[in-house]
Amino acid sequence: MPAPPVYRFGEAELDLGTYQLRRAGEVQALEPKAIEVLRLLVERAPNVVEKEDIFAIVWTDTAVTDNALTRIIAQLRRALGDDAREPRYIATISTRGYRVLPPVEIIGARPADPPPQIDVPAPARSPHLRATSLVAIAAVLTLVALGVWLAIRARTTATTGAPDVATMASLSPIPMTPPGGFGGFMTFSPDEDSIAFASDRTGTMEVYVQGLAEGSRPTALTSNGRQNVQPVWSPDGRFIAYHEMAGNGIWIVPSRGGVARQLSPFGAHPSWSPDGKRIAFQSQRMTDFNSGGSFGATSTIWIADADGRTPPSPVTQLGQPAGAHGMPAWWPDGRHIVFAVNGLAGVSAQPTLWTVDTQGGAPAQLSADRMMSPEFAIAPDGRGIYFSAAGTHAIWWLPVVDPERPAGAPRPTGLPVTGDGLSNITVSPDGRHIGWTANDPSATIWEARVAPGRHDPPTSLVRIQDIGWRAGSPTVSADGRIAFIGYHSKGGGQIYVIDRDGHSQQVTTDRGDHGGPLWMADGKTLAILANHGDGAGYWTLDPETGHERLLFRLSALPVPPNVQSQMRGPNAGVWLTSDLSKAAVAYVRDGIPNLWTIALGPDGPVGPFVQRTFEKDGASFASWSPDGRRFIYQCTDGPNTHLCLADADGSNRRQITHDDGQNFIGGWTPDGETYVFAARRQAVWNVATVSLTSGEVQQVTSFTGPRFYVRYPTWDPANSRIVFERFEVQGTAWSVDLPPPVTARAAGRSCSAGDC
């Protein structure tokens, strides 16, 4: 029985049996829509495939813009190592469509895995019947073997729960919340008749319940303006637990409406145990709407009794495992909890999945595959986990046999999904429906004028459509030029510079990934983080000529003794002084991050790292003063993140922010007397300043709504303004009905009690 074909073109192979693209033998991460577009191109090669045909075949019954196809083609080109300007694999035919350039060779239909061989003794036959009989016997044996093979294959599918790629790819998801604003965090009721979700349709995030019958309208369960998110049904359908962003903590409200009660004064991402008696949650609050989880460096997993009679208790400890623990989900046995660990294992760290036995024992790693992400949902039968695959816009499947044993190799489901970012994956209790929040993020560079007596509304400096999907991490020179990172279609970053007349220009053009721009003390040269394929490192960049010179590679940084890991963050977790004489890095020891510094010479690091902070709850993200004699850093205090100031050697430490909320680093004024930072109050982010002399805090912007946030504000002395990154996330909940699972009866075997 032939299997789907394998197409070879150039160094690439498109295997429709495994639904994978391989380049030089290495599997490339692609979302299902990209596989479908590439399949169409190779099947019709060398002919041009018209855009209209692609939309009609790949986006059947779905209205999308040209941008959707452009994004997919860009994703394919990245996977193929192709360049639109000098294409080797996919050529753009102006105003018409696309075509594959290399000759396409079909190296399959590959034969499928051979059916089991069955030895049947041949009965005696008379000579004149032997030839005909042998043909008949061969035909019968083939049919028998084929039937046995199909039964084994179906039984294997039923045992592993692995989704069938071809079937899943043919499904048609539908939106469950209207576009515009944010409507997400969807969860199915136990009786499958309703959904709960969170929406900002009234201006603040509230929890809603809506029936799935035609004509049903959403009913608000909360209306207190406290930015309520992450609803989840109790197993009996009577209650909904949720996280309150503005006040922190876990709350429970009757699913038909009523008075809410607080279960825990801290924590986020609640998850009910299968018996409805306990709720697991992460200790740190949700700080933004980004995909991939939102939990601070000191987050751990806790459990509370749903009746609230006993106080919450931890089930994981800092450092065991190393990293931040979040987004817990109960295993169907009601004993184990699966949780994500945001990696702190160096600059290439990635999330991993772990399990912990609530009756005791150390956490066990479930999966450390490079495709894993913290966005996951456990199949109700416990046969596997759906997750948003890292670096793709796709939902994958992780087969699991035992929660205390390592999982199998993940594989794509083929499920056609929407959105540039996937979050809040959810599965209905009967396993027949899967949902997710399709995030549409964008970020650009803004300015806020702060001249005396002048309070102009903040405005955007960069049109996002000129960059891609994100412009961020701005840094301002003494003469008012702004350097920032621009990201194209989720690809690597490039460095841009806005000149004094407001015109932006891309100043890096190679295929390397670039980040962390910092104007050096001369005001003319940038220090940037770059990876040109031979290892990440810091380089100097002349924006006038584009010339780069290597300063040092990150691998040259020595690792202090007895530390478990390095904090991840912007700039690869390395913060430099403007004269490049010192660097700060946050390392984790005994589960707690703190800052270490090292001297830099002309050829890189000089001497060992020295620990400079000793915060009991953690320190990270250093911001050096203009003269390099002091630094401000983020110091954790329970659920709050404050700003602390210290001399370069760590002495004279003092806290400079005190209001409840989150305070993230920004930039200094040239005189070193005022600091600009990002402040989160009542779940809303704004730009603020603090006087390092008087301690007075002033809010500069007046943004509202938790789906927006600001980052990396910095002072522009030449124009009396604050320049910052403003990020927005729109979200829509989607759902799709899954095909019936393969049962034991369908697999062609009899059922015994408890077996079917």
Side-chain angles (χ1 to χ4, degrees):
M1 181 178 179
V6 178
Y7 295 94
R8 177 181 292 163
F9 53 108
E11 296 181 344
E13 290 183 357
L14 177 62
D15 189 336
L16 296 182
T18 61
Y19 220 62
Q20 292 177 334
L21 171 68
R22 295 184 291 269
R23 179 163 64 92
E26 183 176 348
V27 176
Q28 304 297 309
L30 289 173
E31 60 183 283
K33 279 286 190 287
I35 294 288
E36 293 171 26
V37 170
L38 184 57
R39 174 180 183 170
L40 190 57
L41 294 178
V42 297
E43 285 178 344
R44 298 192 182 182
N47 297 324
V48 176
V49 183
E50 305 286 343
K51 289 182 181 180
E52 291 76 9
D53 287 350
I54 299 176
F55 286 126
I57 295 172
V58 177
W59 280 274
T60 306
D61 300 325
T62 303
V64 295
T65 66
D66 282 0
N67 291 336
L69 178 55
T70 302
R71 180 178 66 79
I72 291 295
I73 294 296
Q75 185 182 142
L76 288 172
R77 282 177 170 146
R78 285 197 307 275
L80 294 166
D82 205 8
D83 189 334
R85 292 167 294 188
E86 298 179 3
R88 296 182 299 114
Y89 281 94
I90 299 177
T92 301
I93 310 303
S94 180
T95 73
R96 291 185 57 193
Y98 303 91
R99 73 181 184 94
V100 167
L101 294 175
V104 177
E105 174 190 3
I106 300 178
I107 58 176
R110 295 179 298 106
D113 295 334
Q117 297 298 313
I118 301 177
D119 295 325
V120 178
R125 289 282 187 263
S126 60
H128 66 279
L129 295 177
R130 182 163 299 172
T132 304
S133 300
L134 288 176
V135 172
I137 291 172
V140 170
L141 291 180
T142 299
L143 290 174
V144 170
L146 180 59
V148 172
W149 174 76
L150 288 172
I152 292 173
R153 183 184 182 207
R155 181 173 180 176
T156 301
T157 301
T159 302
T160 64
D164 181 79
V165 172
T167 302
M168 296 283 273
S170 67
L171 303 178
S172 299
I174 59 173
M176 306 297 286
T177 57
F182 192 94
F185 301 104
M186 183 184 67
T187 179
F188 298 97
S189 65
D191 60 10
E192 314 287 339
D193 288 339
S194 304
I195 59 171
F197 61 93
S199 172
D200 66 348
R201 61 185 62 193
T202 62
T204 60
M205 295 296 300
E206 304 291 353
V207 173
Y208 294 82
V209 169
Q210 182 170 353
L212 295 178
E214 186 175 352
S216 297
R217 300 177 64 86
T219 300
L221 280 189
T222 65
S223 57
N224 58 12
R226 304 289 288 172
Q227 314 294 0
N228 304 304
V229 295
Q230 298 175 333
V232 58
W233 297 80
S234 63
D236 60 9
R238 296 172 56 203
F239 298 98
I240 288 178
Y242 63 91
H243 168 51
E244 184 183 276
M245 294 180 68
N248 202 12
I250 307 297
W251 292 70
I252 296 177
V253 63
S255 60
R256 295 182 178 272
V259 178
R261 61 180 174 87
Q262 188 181 59
L263 180 70
S264 170
F266 64 92
H269 206 285
S271 174
W272 291 86
S273 62
D275 61 8
K277 295 181 178 180
R278 295 174 293 174
I279 291 179
F281 58 93
Q282 66 186 44
S283 62
Q284 290 293 333
R285 69 181 79 191
M286 172 183 164
T287 58
D288 57 53
F289 282 56
N290 279 340
S291 302
S294 176
F295 38 105
T298 58
S299 183
T300 51
I301 305 302
W302 290 61
I303 291 180
D305 290 335
D307 58 17
R309 294 178 182 176
T310 57
S313 59
V315 292
T316 67
Q317 305 292 329
L318 279 175
Q320 302 176 19
H325 311 166
M327 305 182 77
W330 286 88
W331 196 256
D333 63 7
R335 176 172 173 172
H336 294 85
I337 293 174
V338 180
F339 61 98
V341 176
N342 265 346
L344 302 176
V347 297
S348 61
Q350 62 184 39
T352 54
L353 283 190
W354 292 68
T355 63
V356 61
D357 188 336
T358 58
Q359 298 182 14
Q365 189 175 88
L366 189 63
S367 177
D369 192 272
R370 64 184 181 87
M371 300 302 296
M372 288 308 305
S373 80
E375 300 286 359
F376 70 93
I378 301 172
D381 59 10
R383 291 177 177 173
I385 293 172
Y386 294 97
F387 68 96
S388 173
T392 75
H393 311 286
I395 293 177
W396 281 38
W397 172 261
L398 180 72
V400 180
V401 176
D402 185 324
E404 293 186 346
R405 292 169 54 191
R411 65 197 71 174
T413 64
L415 182 66
V417 298
T418 58
D420 285 336
L422 301 180
S423 64
N424 186 230
I425 298 174
T426 182
V427 183
S428 63
D430 66 358
R432 295 293 304 278
H433 314 278
I434 186 170
W436 62 90
T437 301
N439 292 339
D440 184 14
S442 63
T444 187
I445 308 299
W446 285 56
E447 67 171 358
R449 299 281 177 173
V450 290
R454 183 175 178 177
H455 300 281
D456 295 341
T459 57
S460 175
L461 292 174
V462 176
R463 297 196 319 160
I464 194 61
Q465 56 265 40
D466 295 337
I467 302 299
W469 75 277
R470 181 182 179 185
S473 301
T475 178
V476 186
S477 67
D479 62 5
R481 288 177 296 158
I482 303 169
F484 65 92
I485 314 172
Y487 296 91
H488 299 274
S489 303
K490 301 291 185 182
Q494 297 289 342
I495 304 299
Y496 290 75
V497 171
I498 304 175
D499 62 24
R500 288 178 290 272
D501 296 324
H503 302 124
S504 61
Q505 180 180 358
Q506 183 176 331
V507 294
T508 56
T509 57
D510 61 85
R511 297 182 183 178
D513 193 10
H514 307 80
L518 169 71
W519 287 102
M520 296 172 57
D522 63 7
K524 299 178 181 180
T525 310
L526 286 164
I528 65 169
L529 180 69
N531 188 343
H532 302 288
D534 52 358
Y538 269 95
W539 301 65
T540 63
L541 168 66
D542 183 345
E544 298 294 332
T545 64
H547 177 70
E548 297 180 34
R549 179 179 64 84
L550 178 66
L551 291 170
F552 63 90
R553 299 200 187 278
L554 295 183
S555 58
L557 290 172
V559 179
N562 303 319
V563 297
Q564 288 92 36
S565 53
Q566 177 187 335
M567 277 284 293
R568 291 202 308 166
N571 314 335
V574 180
W575 293 273
L576 306 175
T577 57
S578 61
D579 64 359
L580 305 184
S581 64
K582 291 184 283 290
V585 177
Y587 284 105
V588 179
R589 175 178 285 175
D590 298 326
I592 304 295
N594 269 290
L595 287 166
W596 302 59
T597 66
I598 191 170
L600 299 177
D603 299 319
V606 177
F609 270 107
V610 179
Q611 186 172 352
R612 301 301 188 185
T613 68
F614 297 87
E615 302 289 337
K616 64 177 183 178
D617 287 339
S620 59
F621 294 87
S623 174
W624 292 96
S625 63
D627 59 11
R629 297 180 179 179
R630 297 178 293 173
F631 61 90
I632 287 173
Y633 61 95
Q634 295 173 195
C635 45
T636 304
D637 180 15
N640 298 313
T641 302
H642 289 295
L643 297 179
C644 289
L645 169 67
D647 290 343
D649 62 1
S651 62
N652 296 319
R653 179 263 189 203
R654 63 185 174 95
Q655 187 174 315
I656 60 174
T657 61
H658 302 277
D659 294 332
D660 287 347
Q662 312 298 122
N663 302 276
F664 286 3
I665 61 168
W668 298 67
T669 54
D671 59 9
E673 295 299 318
T674 303
Y675 193 74
V676 184
F677 64 100
R680 181 183 183 266
R681 303 288 183 266
Q682 300 296 305
V684 177
W685 288 95
N686 275 288
V687 176
T689 63
V690 58
S691 168
L692 302 184
T693 303
S694 67
E696 180 184 5
V697 174
Q698 292 187 346
Q699 185 173 308
V700 176
T701 60
S702 301
F703 297 127
T704 61
R707 67 182 178 89
F708 303 90
Y709 67 79
V710 298
R711 290 290 187 272
Y712 316 120
T714 185
W715 181 259
D716 176 7
N719 295 287
S720 297
R721 62 180 176 176
I722 296 172
V723 177
F724 58 96
E725 173 186 342
R726 185 175 187 245
F727 202 100
E728 174 185 1
V729 178
Q730 294 186 349
T732 303
W734 288 74
S735 174
V736 68
D737 296 341
L738 299 178
V742 178
T743 64
R745 289 190 188 277
R749 59 190 175 96
S750 60
C751 299
S752 57
D755 191 37
C756 296

